[in-house]
Amino acid sequence: MFNGRALTIVSFLLFLWGTDYLYPQKTTLDSLNQKLIFAKHDSTKIRLKYEIGEVEQVFRITYWDSLKVSCEKNLDTLGRDKFFFARYYPNVLNNLGFIHDNQGDVEESLKYYNKSLYYRKKYGDKKGIAGSLNNLANVYDNLGDIVNALDFYHRSLKIREGINDINGIAECLNNIGYIYRHQGEYKLALDYYQKSLLIKEKVDDKKAIARTLNNIGIIYGNQGDSTNELFTYLKSLKIREEINDQLGIANSFVTLGSFFYAQKKYLIALDYYNKGLKLYKELEHKQGISHSLIGISRSYLKINNRTKSIYYASLALKTAKDYPLNKRDATEILHYLYKSQGDYKKAYDMYSLYILMRDSISNYENNKTVFKKNLQYDYEKKVLADSISYIKEKQIKEVEIAKQKAEIKTKRNQQYALLGGLFLILLFSFFLFNRFKITRKQKNIIEQQKHLVDEKQKEILDSITYAQRLQQAILTTPEDIQKYLPNSFLLYQPKDIVAGDFYFFEIVDNTIFYAAADCTGHGVPGAMVSIVCANALTRSIKEFELKNPGEILDKTRELVLQTFNKSGKDVKDGMDISLCKLEPYSTENYKLEWAGANNPLWIIRKYDTDCTLIEIKPNKQPVGKVDNPVDFTNHTIELQKGDTIYIFTDGYQDQFGGEKNKKFKTSNMKDLLLSIQKENLLKQKEILMQSFEKWRGSLEQVDDVCIIGIRI
């Protein structure tokens, strides 16, 4: 599964690596074009066109191929100018390799990278050699060839250490960290990432800082720390937007899509995947396009839109080309979808390709080699740490020399000061020692208390998780509801792990009973009440064989009070509920019986081009202990074809949000439902979820949400 690594096999920084010393970035595009108009010599024209391509960030193969041809036509002339040729011609070849790689043409990419490496070696360009080795390592990494990838990364790292290339060292550290992360060595990967980030922050390389933060966020995700994971991703995106790094922004969008997919917020994930896809298409970045399409396909599968899931997975497979990771993910999705549709031939074809890609990525020999490399480069890790220390030492060398001179001049004064200070140290040593013992004792107490708190927290979380399993046992699965009510939707979104809201569904003698209920409280207390109330409903229908919704609620109230009165305490817990009995009496007509406790029934009926919302008021009393209780009223409604029935709890309309942080309110919910009547029920659910998340924004969800919609 795609999990957020920067999608490009070579960071865009490498695409622009030559600009450090070729031409100042502050030079405007207009001035370069102006100079090109008046340029007379071929070497000047080539230089200016190269710099224009770098500043404008040109991704067209034709542009760089034309510049390559111009260099080769003037090879004899340029060859005499070693300084000029060593800088421009290999860089043009490198950029062609980068663009071919982004477009999925790995064979052409390797050809240009190797040719660029040849000329950089020929002219002794050590910085360029290290860059080419890094580019080749990225290609082999994307092909799943871990052996070659690690070998090229370490060769690049050694050269960059030798020439004190701080940016290059940081880049290699980041890339090596990525390899170890994909082998499950998260601690080792995080160590490399943090060392890389330290260097990048020191030189204020914002693009590289954002990229490394993104990688660190992935490590947090692998370790289950979703809070720090999201914070780090957003921090990376903010930096990329500040510097207008389009490719980086696209990478961040898809990374956030994967994060929200993992959090089961599939509509938010879809939004980010589509944003990333749009940018990748503009950049003609085929690997990124493929990753985005896979994310979109998976999200549609989760919201049960299999037609779109197949469509986007097929597009992803077409654009995957030579990237086995992309092919593996796309074929895995298509195999599952074709199999579920009964198209076993296509399913078999996809499964065969999936196995081939899976084995090429994670076979035993690759893993074995990685661990050998870990041992082989233990010493190189020490050298790396020493090289970073050397960089720091070199930068403060002059300060240390000046400090030593000052120390020589003041040595005698310092000795007098030390003698005087010695007496004070002896005087207070006993006091400090006593304080140390007290502090150590306090520290031990705090650590013991923390251990107890951690244990209690784990016990509480385990209990809540078990309560969730108990509550899920009383809920019918959405898939089973769809079998009997195919033209319906269920929007159920608890505030916490367990909920006070629950939905109810029973079928007795071809009669469907369904309800949306809101029990007292939410979280664990609400979940406990919901189990009692749901059991009472089931008993009223099955054990006492009641058919009338009003009578069912009366009996349910009696059973709930019996349960709570066993404690001998005055327990006033109960529930608000909207209970429906749907019984078809012909192929065209349905009769609906309904009773409600504090929660109403809404029916939206179409008249030509207009829609009207019919509201049936509930009894203003809960199912529970109440002063002066009355029998629940049973309502009978003759339904018409096209009627849409809605029952719900109060969590949706009570949610705070919007610009003024106010409740959504019942009136707005009515307007929203009336506005979406042209849509099918699945689309209505999607719109309701999107509207809820948009209204809530960054605020916390205040209550459980449960809405059931059925169209006749």
Side-chain angles (χ1 to χ4, degrees):
M1 184 180 100
F2 169 68
N3 55 17
R5 183 209 180 195
L7 295 170
T8 179
I9 58 174
V10 169
S11 70
F12 196 59
L13 177 66
L14 292 175
F15 182 74
L16 300 175
W17 75 269
T19 59
D20 296 16
Y21 54 94
L22 289 178
Y23 203 84
Q25 284 293 324
K26 64 182 180 180
T27 303
T28 64
L29 192 60
D30 289 339
S31 66
L32 288 171
N33 283 313
Q34 190 70 19
K35 290 178 181 179
L36 181 60
I37 295 172
F38 298 99
K40 295 181 179 180
H41 300 292
D42 290 338
S43 60
T44 305
K45 292 178 181 179
I46 290 171
R47 176 178 62 81
L48 290 169
K49 287 181 180 179
Y50 175 85
E51 291 164 0
I52 289 170
E54 295 284 327
V55 173
E56 198 175 0
Q57 299 183 9
V58 176
F59 278 83
R60 299 189 306 277
I61 289 178
T62 52
Y63 182 93
W64 295 103
D65 195 60
S66 172
L67 196 54
K68 177 182 77 75
V69 171
S70 297
C71 288
E72 291 170 350
K73 284 182 179 179
N74 293 275
L75 192 61
D76 292 338
T77 302
L78 296 177
R80 290 194 295 270
D81 186 355
K82 178 180 177 180
F83 182 82
F84 181 90
F85 189 76
R87 290 187 175 188
Y88 289 93
Y89 185 58
N91 291 354
V92 171
L93 296 173
N94 180 75
N95 290 353
L96 280 167
F98 174 83
I99 297 171
H100 278 289
D101 191 23
N102 282 342
Q103 296 190 359
D105 194 346
V106 176
E107 184 177 348
E108 283 295 299
S109 175
L110 287 172
K111 182 183 79 173
Y112 282 111
Y113 279 152
N114 278 304
K115 193 172 182 180
S116 175
L117 176 61
Y118 167 81
Y119 281 105
R120 284 170 171 173
K121 285 182 175 179
K122 182 177 179 180
Y123 292 100
D125 181 4
K126 290 186 178 181
K127 186 173 183 180
I129 293 169
S132 291
L133 291 171
N134 193 80
N135 293 351
L136 288 164
N138 282 322
V139 176
Y140 286 120
D141 181 20
N142 280 279
L143 289 172
D145 188 348
I146 305 301
V147 179
N148 273 320
L150 271 176
D151 182 60
F152 278 101
Y153 279 141
H154 281 281
R155 286 165 60 186
S156 176
L157 179 59
K158 285 183 179 179
I159 294 173
R160 284 167 165 168
E161 287 173 351
I163 61 175
N164 195 24
D165 178 10
I166 298 176
N167 283 328
I169 290 172
E171 188 66 22
C172 283
L173 291 172
N174 182 77
N175 292 337
I176 294 171
Y178 169 76
I179 292 229
Y180 286 123
R181 175 172 64 80
H182 268 272
Q183 298 303 313
E185 293 289 335
Y186 301 129
K187 185 176 183 301
L188 193 57
L190 186 60
D191 183 52
Y192 275 97
Y193 286 152
Q194 288 175 338
K195 287 177 180 177
S196 175
L197 182 62
L198 202 63
I199 296 173
K200 290 301 182 183
E201 287 177 338
K202 190 168 186 177
V203 298
D204 197 29
D205 187 343
K206 292 187 181 299
K207 186 178 291 186
I209 290 171
R211 184 169 59 255
T212 305
L213 283 172
N214 197 77
N215 291 337
I216 291 174
I218 295 170
I219 295 293
Y220 284 133
N222 291 329
Q223 295 177 338
D225 188 352
S226 59
T227 301
N228 277 323
E229 182 186 10
L230 179 59
F231 174 81
T232 310
Y233 289 156
L234 294 174
K235 187 176 179 181
S236 175
L237 175 59
K238 182 179 179 182
I239 294 172
R240 285 167 166 169
E241 288 176 336
E242 287 174 354
I243 62 175
N244 195 29
D245 177 10
Q246 292 296 300
L247 186 57
I249 293 170
N251 294 341
S252 286
F253 282 155
V254 176
T255 300
L256 286 165
S258 297
F259 172 83
F260 285 110
Y261 178 93
Q263 299 297 312
K264 298 183 180 180
K265 295 186 181 295
Y266 303 119
L267 294 176
I268 301 177
L270 265 174
D271 182 52
Y272 277 110
Y273 281 136
N274 279 305
K275 288 180 179 178
L277 178 62
K278 181 181 178 182
L279 281 178
Y280 284 133
K281 284 182 176 180
E282 292 174 1
L283 296 171
E284 298 181 357
H285 193 296
K286 293 190 177 180
Q287 189 185 13
I289 292 171
S290 180
H291 274 302
S292 303
L293 292 169
I294 289 169
I296 293 170
S297 175
R298 281 199 173 118
S299 299
Y300 275 121
L301 180 58
K302 287 295 183 181
I303 62 175
N304 206 28
N305 191 333
R306 302 194 170 200
T307 302
K308 287 189 176 181
S309 183
I310 289 178
Y311 172 75
Y312 284 104
S314 300
L315 286 180
L317 183 59
K318 288 180 182 179
T319 55
K321 290 201 170 183
D322 293 317
Y323 301 113
L325 199 64
N326 296 17
K327 282 187 177 180
R328 181 199 66 184
D329 293 343
T331 52
E332 182 182 20
I333 298 170
L334 290 170
H335 163 253
Y336 170 80
L337 290 168
Y338 287 138
K339 184 179 179 182
S340 66
Q341 291 181 344
D343 193 344
Y344 297 108
K345 183 181 182 305
K346 288 184 179 179
Y348 175 79
D349 292 340
M350 291 299 103
Y351 184 73
S352 299
L353 185 53
Y354 164 74
I355 293 298
L356 181 63
M357 293 300 103
R358 184 196 65 186
D359 290 346
S360 70
I361 293 166
S362 57
N363 60 69
Y364 171 78
E365 286 301 319
N366 274 353
N367 290 331
K368 180 179 175 183
T369 303
V370 169
F371 288 113
K372 285 183 178 179
K373 286 288 181 181
N374 282 340
L375 296 174
Q376 178 182 347
Y377 290 114
D378 278 345
Y379 173 73
E380 292 187 1
K381 284 170 60 183
K382 181 179 182 304
V383 172
L384 173 62
D386 291 341
S387 68
I388 294 173
S389 298
Y390 171 73
I391 292 169
K392 294 178 180 178
E393 290 171 1
K394 186 175 180 180
Q395 291 175 341
I396 63 173
K397 186 176 180 180
E398 294 181 0
V399 176
E400 289 179 341
I401 292 172
K403 183 180 178 181
Q404 288 172 1
K405 290 180 179 179
E407 287 175 352
I408 293 172
K409 292 180 180 180
T410 59
K411 185 177 181 181
R412 185 171 299 173
N413 292 334
Q414 289 176 348
Q415 289 174 343
Y416 290 139
L418 287 172
L419 289 172
L422 180 61
F423 175 76
L424 294 175
I425 292 172
L426 292 173
L427 183 64
F428 288 103
S429 59
F430 181 75
F431 171 76
L432 293 175
F433 179 70
N434 283 339
R435 293 303 304 169
F436 169 74
K437 289 197 299 183
I438 294 171
T439 302
R440 184 169 60 180
K441 184 177 180 180
Q442 291 174 340
K443 180 182 178 183
N444 290 336
I445 294 172
I446 292 170
E447 288 179 349
Q448 291 173 2
Q449 291 175 341
K450 181 180 182 299
H451 179 69
L452 289 174
V453 170
D454 290 342
E455 286 186 343
K456 292 298 180 183
Q457 184 179 19
K458 183 178 183 302
E459 290 175 5
I460 292 169
L461 185 59
D462 289 344
S463 299
I464 294 173
T465 303
Y466 185 70
Q468 182 187 38
R469 291 199 296 270
L470 291 176
Q471 187 176 44
Q472 288 175 343
I474 70 172
L475 300 177
T476 306
T477 65
E479 290 77 13
D480 287 341
I481 295 175
Q482 282 288 323
K483 289 180 183 178
Y484 296 97
L485 295 171
N487 200 11
S488 66
F489 75 78
L490 166 66
L491 198 167
Y492 183 59
Q493 187 165 316
K495 176 184 182 294
D496 301 308
I497 297 175
V498 290
D501 284 14
F502 71 93
Y503 58 91
F504 178 82
F505 186 84
E506 286 287 353
I507 297 178
V508 180
D509 299 330
N510 202 34
T511 299
I512 298 173
F513 294 90
Y514 69 96
D518 182 0
C519 296
T520 307
H522 50 73
V524 173
M528 294 175 68
V529 177
S530 73
I531 293 173
V532 173
C533 293
N535 182 58
L537 270 175
T538 302
R539 289 184 62 197
S540 299
I541 294 172
K542 290 191 171 182
E543 181 180 336
F544 293 94
E545 299 182 351
L546 298 176
K547 305 297 183 183
N548 181 300
E551 294 177 353
I552 292 170
L553 292 188
D554 291 334
K555 188 59 160 179
T556 300
R557 176 170 58 194
E558 177 185 334
L559 295 173
V560 169
L561 291 176
Q562 286 177 5
T563 301
F564 288 137
N565 287 339
K566 290 178 181 179
S567 67
K569 297 181 179 180
D570 186 19
V571 180
K572 295 185 178 180
D573 291 316
M575 66 175 170
D576 297 336
I577 188 170
S578 185
L579 173 64
C580 294
K581 172 187 173 184
L582 186 62
E583 184 176 7
Y585 58 90
S586 75
T587 57
E588 296 294 331
N589 296 290
Y590 283 81
K591 179 175 70 174
L592 177 70
E593 292 186 49
W594 173 83
N598 286 329
N599 288 344
L601 168 71
W602 291 354
I603 300 174
I604 296 183
R605 180 165 292 168
K606 294 183 179 179
Y607 296 97
D608 296 328
T609 59
D610 296 329
C611 292
T612 300
L613 191 148
I614 303 168
E615 180 174 6
I616 312 298
K617 301 288 185 179
N619 290 98
K620 293 298 182 179
Q621 61 180 9
V623 176
K625 188 170 183 179
V626 64
D627 296 332
N628 303 317
V630 298
D631 292 341
F632 286 97
T633 305
N634 193 73
H635 300 267
T636 301
I637 303 101
E638 297 292 334
L639 299 175
Q640 298 179 11
K641 188 173 182 180
D643 285 354
T644 307
I645 308 162
Y646 298 96
I647 58 175
F648 46 86
T649 59
D650 60 1
Y652 195 97
Q653 54 268 43
D654 285 351
Q655 177 61 46
F656 284 92
E659 295 180 358
K660 298 182 179 180
N661 289 338
K662 293 185 176 181
K663 286 186 178 182
F664 190 79
K665 295 184 179 180
T666 302
S667 59
N668 289 330
M669 186 175 174
K670 288 180 178 180
D671 292 340
L672 176 58
L673 289 173
L674 286 168
S675 69
I676 61 175
Q677 287 307 300
K678 293 182 180 179
E679 308 292 346
N680 60 50
L681 273 293
L682 184 61
K683 184 65 175 178
Q684 286 190 20
K685 176 183 176 181
E686 182 179 338
I687 294 171
L688 285 167
M689 290 176 65
Q690 288 175 339
S691 300
F692 184 79
E693 292 297 333
K694 183 178 179 182
W695 177 263
R696 182 172 71 87
S698 60
L699 296 180
E700 182 182 359
Q701 185 174 332
V702 298
D703 200 358
D704 306 318
V705 173
C706 182
I707 304 176
I708 301 174
I710 297 175
R711 179 168 287 169
I712 303 301

